[in-house]
């Protein structure tokens, strides 16, 4: 499957109309994934370690789903085949989706890291890590750490640094003191771009340790993501994601309307990280998140976000249609935001069969 470049909406003598499905805000099951595999500590296909992993894969998803925080740890077996495992679903998930996602994470991780005793996988909606070493006893280590970013802002780099600092600094304490160690926010400051953000710690962290973890997230964000339209910092103990569009379920728990006066000096002792300079690794199966497919008929443009489906065969179908038909075009989501003025009420024309209709 090839990824096709973004193009601009063609000009027409009539007014183009954008039909935005409500599914746009749903989180996909088949989301982008980032994995880490140990270079040593292999196990054999018929070993006791495999049997312990198999038991974990059947019990840990249910344990996470039954938790009010959608978080679970487990220890299976005895030395030298003992397995330690941890999983967490995003704070806006539900129990049934969480169980399904963690089950899939086990399957994917065994495929992505075959015969490796130490492995981790990060998705947008959940993460999973297992190891033959007791990483559960160390609550202050946030690795492996992944940085995922998108394209640059057109606004001043110093302003974007202040935007990101304001976001994370404003949210850290609120998230750390919540039951799920989770919160979301929307930042609206003057003429600056609107940003949406999500932050979460592992619920077994005390608030102080959670805030310390978020401090590392802040340092990594300022070091790696300054000037980016969207990004993620993904760690074993805490993580953060921000975008120019709402990507989480429900209304933001915090609205930020004041910009921090300045950005303090960045701490250069941040955790070493693997950086992906794009929204999705090249080997991931689904199309790039944040892209939308557009089909035009009689001057009306229907937008169907590929992040809104959880069936990989539908990804492939739409991508094949895009390749074969000149009626389909790919757009960056920020381009749609700009064209509709961030889906403003002034651009809202009404309600269609597939959702709200906007002028562009």
């Amino acid at each position: 499957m090839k990824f096709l470049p973004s193009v601009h909406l063609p000009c027409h003598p009539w007014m183009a109309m954008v039909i935005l499905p409500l599914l746009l805000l749903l989180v996909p099951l088949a989301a982008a994934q980032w994995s880490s595999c140990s270079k040593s500590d292999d196990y054999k296909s018929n070993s006791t370690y495999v049997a312990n992993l198999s038991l974990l894969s059947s019990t840990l998803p249910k344990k996470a789903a039954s938790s009010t925080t959608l978080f679970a740890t487990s220890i299976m077996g005895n030395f030298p085949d003992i397995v330690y495992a941890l999983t967490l679903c995003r704070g806006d998930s539900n129990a049934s989706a969480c169980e399904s996602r963690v089950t899939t994470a086990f399957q994917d991780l065994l495929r992505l890291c075959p015969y490796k005793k130490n492995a981790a996988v990060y998705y947008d909606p959940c993460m999973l890590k297992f190891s033959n070493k007791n990483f559960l006893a160390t609550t202050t280590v946030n690795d492996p750490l992944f940085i995922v970013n998108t394209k640059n802002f057109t606004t001043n780099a110093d302003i974007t640094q202040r935007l990101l600092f304001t976001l994370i600094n404003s949210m850290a304490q609120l998230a750390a003191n919540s039951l799920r160690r989770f919160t979301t926010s929307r930042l609206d400051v003057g003429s600056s771009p609107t940003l949406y953000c999500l932050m979460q710690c592992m619920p077994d962290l005390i608030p102080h340790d959670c805030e310390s973890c978020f401090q590392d997230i802040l340092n990594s964000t300022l070091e790696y993501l300054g000037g980016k339209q969207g990004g993620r910092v993904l760690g074993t103990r805490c993580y953060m994601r921000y975008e120019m569009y709402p990507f989480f379920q429900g209304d933001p728990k915090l609205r930020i309307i004041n910009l921090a006066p300045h950005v303090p000096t960045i701490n250069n002792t941040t955790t070493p990280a693997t950086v992906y300079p794009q929204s999705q690794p090249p080997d991931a199966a689904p199309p790039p998140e944040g892209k939308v497919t557009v089909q035009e008929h009689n001057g009306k443009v229907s937008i169907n976000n590929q992040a809104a489906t959880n069936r990989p065969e539908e990804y492939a179908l739409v991508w094949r249609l895009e390749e074969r038909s000149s009626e389909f075009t790919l757009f960056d989501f920020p381009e749609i935001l700009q064209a509709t003025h961030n889906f403003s009420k002034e651009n809202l024309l009404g309600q269609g069969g597939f959702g709200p209709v906007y002028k562009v």
Side-chain angles (χ1 to χ4, degrees):
M1 181 184 301
K2 69 178 181 179
F3 298 119
L4 302 175
S6 301
V7 298
H8 294 290
L9 185 68
C11 295
H12 294 284
W14 53 80
M15 180 182 295
M17 299 171 69
V18 176
I19 303 175
L20 182 68
L22 295 179
L23 289 176
L24 182 64
L25 302 181
L26 296 182
V27 177
L29 178 60
Q33 61 188 18
W34 299 270
S35 61
S36 173
C37 316
S38 60
K39 293 181 172 58
S40 57
D41 293 328
D42 291 4
Y43 60 83
K44 297 184 183 302
S45 59
N46 59 348
S47 66
T48 304
Y49 199 86
V50 173
N52 291 335
L53 276 178
S54 179
L55 286 172
L56 274 176
S57 68
S58 64
T59 58
L60 195 64
K62 292 181 174 61
K63 187 176 180 181
S66 64
S67 166
T68 57
T69 57
L70 302 181
F71 165 78
T73 62
S74 190
I75 303 172
M76 192 68 67
N78 300 295
F79 182 84
D81 296 302
I82 191 168
V83 186
Y84 301 89
L86 173 152
T87 190
L88 174 69
C89 291
R90 214 168 72 179
D92 59 342
S93 300
N94 59 54
S96 60
C98 180
E99 182 175 352
S100 176
R101 287 164 178 161
V102 177
T103 299
T104 301
F106 263 109
Q107 297 168 353
D108 287 347
L109 199 50
L110 294 175
R111 173 180 56 83
L112 294 165
C113 301
Y115 309 117
K116 297 300 181 183
K117 289 186 175 181
N118 192 332
V121 65
Y122 299 87
Y123 298 90
D124 189 57
C126 75
M127 67 81 57
L128 169 69
K129 179 178 180 178
F130 63 74
S131 177
N132 62 329
K133 298 178 175 61
N134 187 10
F135 69 95
L136 300 178
T138 308
T139 59
T140 57
V141 177
N142 199 33
D143 61 357
L145 191 69
F146 290 163
I147 310 291
V148 186
N149 61 47
T150 57
K151 64 184 183 181
N152 292 332
F153 273 118
T154 56
T155 44
N156 182 283
D158 291 336
I159 294 297
T160 61
Q161 288 282 80
R162 287 174 65 192
L163 290 171
L164 294 177
F165 173 78
T166 301
L167 261 181
I168 298 173
N169 190 59
S170 301
M171 295 174 66
Q173 189 173 19
L174 180 62
N177 287 283
S178 66
L179 175 63
R180 290 191 172 185
R181 305 288 187 262
F182 167 83
T183 197
T184 58
S185 74
R186 171 176 171 163
L187 183 146
D188 292 295
V189 179
S191 60
S192 298
T194 299
L195 295 179
Y196 297 84
C197 187
L198 176 153
M199 293 172 63
Q200 187 168 16
C201 278
M202 296 297 153
D204 63 337
L205 294 186
I206 62 173
H208 176 269
D209 288 345
C210 183
E211 287 193 61
S212 296
C213 194
F214 284 146
Q215 181 63 49
D216 292 337
I217 292 287
L218 174 59
N219 295 337
S220 296
T221 300
L222 296 179
E223 181 175 354
Y224 294 107
L225 296 176
K228 300 298 182 180
Q229 291 186 5
R232 300 172 173 91
V233 181
L234 306 170
T236 306
R237 286 296 173 181
C238 64
Y239 67 93
M240 179 279 304
R241 179 185 176 187
Y242 75 94
E243 304 288 354
M244 291 178 66
Y245 55 89
F247 59 92
F248 45 77
Q249 299 295 313
D251 295 328
K253 300 180 184 299
L254 177 67
R255 185 177 180 190
I256 305 167
I257 58 174
N258 295 313
L259 194 62
H262 67 280
V263 179
T265 304
I266 299 174
N267 182 352
N268 292 321
T269 61
T270 53
T271 305
T274 301
V275 180
Y276 288 99
Q278 51 195 12
S279 62
Q280 190 165 323
D283 59 348
E289 189 173 335
K291 296 286 187 179
V292 289
T293 303
V294 177
Q295 184 179 17
E296 185 179 348
H297 290 292
N298 299 324
K300 295 184 179 180
V301 181
S302 176
I303 299 183
N304 188 5
N305 190 338
Q306 294 309 296
T309 178
N310 61 8
R311 292 180 289 276
E313 61 271 17
E314 292 187 6
Y315 285 127
L317 173 61
V318 173
W319 239 237
R320 288 196 299 271
L321 287 172
E322 210 288 343
E323 291 182 13
R324 296 175 184 174
S325 173
S326 61
E327 292 182 346
F328 285 87
T329 325
L330 280 177
F331 287 82
D332 276 322
F333 196 88
E335 290 179 304
I336 303 299
L337 285 177
Q338 183 178 8
T340 62
H341 297 284
N342 205 25
F343 301 112
S344 68
K345 292 182 179 179
E346 289 76 12
N347 284 53
L348 181 63
L349 296 178
Q351 191 79 9
F354 293 95
V357 177
Y358 293 84
K359 67 180 180 180
V360 297

